[in-house]
């Protein structure tokens, strides 16, 4: 097995900015939420995916969506990408979906102005009227590292400095 990446927490200041930007100032103890953040990990030696854990209790009725600042960033070698998917059981039982279908975390995202803070926007797409409840600290998304190649005539030298959609500006 190649060891090509390491998870880190974003700084508490970055997490607080992103949390307030996402949820507003609603009296939550953001410091306590930050302190409770768990870095992603595999559940078993045979698991391909690294489980990401939700930092607060989440209840989503059918059709509801939430954007989750995970408090996590990932440092990885070049030519690797972290692909994020809903946890299999949540997708199967509730049709929980990532709004961008598959989250793509590029290796250079780690160096962005937002510290490479990984967000997940999830929707309960249940057509069976099922409400999904995810307790704080429970796995809700899984990330899988994948190596990739580039074309022989690729000559890109641009550098990222932003989050969602920043590579097409």
């Amino acid at each position: 097995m190649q060891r090509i990446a390491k998870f880190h927490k974003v700084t508490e200041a970055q997490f607080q900015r992103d949390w307030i930007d996402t949820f507003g100032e609603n009296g939550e103890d953001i410091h306590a939420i930050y302190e409770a953040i768990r870095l992603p990990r595999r559940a078993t030696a045979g698991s391909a995916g690294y489980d990401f854990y939700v930092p607060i209790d989440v209840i989503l009725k059918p059709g509801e969506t939430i954007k989750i600042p995970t408090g996590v960033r990932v440092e990885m070698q070049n030519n690797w990408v972290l692909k994020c998917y809903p946890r299999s059981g949540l997708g199967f039982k509730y049709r929980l979906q990532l709004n961008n279908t598959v989250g793509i975390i590029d290796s250079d995202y780690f160096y962005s102005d937002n510290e490479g803070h990984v967000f997940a926007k999830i929707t309960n797409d249940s057509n069976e009227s099922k409400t999904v409840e995810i307790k704080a600290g429970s796995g809700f998304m899984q990330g899988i590292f994948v190596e990739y190649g580039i074309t022989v005539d690729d000559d890109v030298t641009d550098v990222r400095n932003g989050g969602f959609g920043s590579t097409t500006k």
Side-chain angles (χ1 to χ4, degrees):
M1 252 337 129
Q2 292 187 59
R3 297 186 181 263
I4 51 86
K6 181 170 176 52
F7 290 105
H8 305 268
K9 280 180 161 182
V10 297
T11 63
E12 186 168 355
Q14 182 66 51
F15 181 75
Q16 187 168 42
R17 280 191 299 274
D18 292 339
W19 191 267
I20 291 170
D21 182 60
T22 302
F23 297 113
E25 295 194 48
N26 56 9
E28 291 178 306
D29 185 350
I30 300 171
H31 173 73
I33 295 169
Y34 177 80
E35 288 298 317
I37 290 170
R38 296 171 55 194
L39 293 178
R41 62 181 305 260
R42 294 182 310 142
T44 68
S47 297
Y50 283 81
D51 293 337
F52 281 72
Y53 306 100
V54 69
I56 57 169
D57 290 343
V58 171
I59 299 173
L60 290 176
K61 295 176 184 162
E64 289 185 335
T65 297
I66 187 171
K67 182 174 85 170
I68 300 171
T70 66
V72 173
R73 63 194 295 221
V74 61
E75 183 177 21
M76 70 186 101
Q77 292 179 11
N78 290 333
N79 300 328
W80 286 83
V81 63
L82 179 66
K83 298 173 102 180
C84 297
Y85 306 90
R87 291 272 315 270
S88 302
L90 293 173
F92 186 82
K93 293 176 190 170
Y94 301 100
R95 289 183 55 143
L96 188 74
Q97 298 181 5
L98 291 177
N99 284 26
N100 56 348
T101 312
V102 177
I104 300 295
I105 311 300
D106 298 311
S107 62
D108 61 350
Y109 184 51
F110 184 79
Y111 305 102
S112 296
D113 283 348
N114 72 348
E115 299 180 15
H117 192 173
V118 175
F119 286 78
K121 193 169 187 183
I122 58 174
T123 296
N124 177 354
D125 195 32
S126 173
N127 57 10
E128 299 171 353
S129 301
K130 292 182 180 178
T131 297
V132 62
E133 296 184 27
I134 310 169
K135 296 289 184 197
S138 298
F140 76 101
M141 176 174 77
Q142 59 184 325
I144 299 173
F145 291 99
V146 178
E147 191 172 23
Y148 66 90
I150 59 174
T151 62
V152 295
D153 59 347
D154 188 306
D155 61 358
V156 174
T157 59
D158 293 342
V159 177
R160 169 193 304 276
N161 190 20
F164 304 112
S166 64
T167 57
T168 58
K169 293 180 182 172

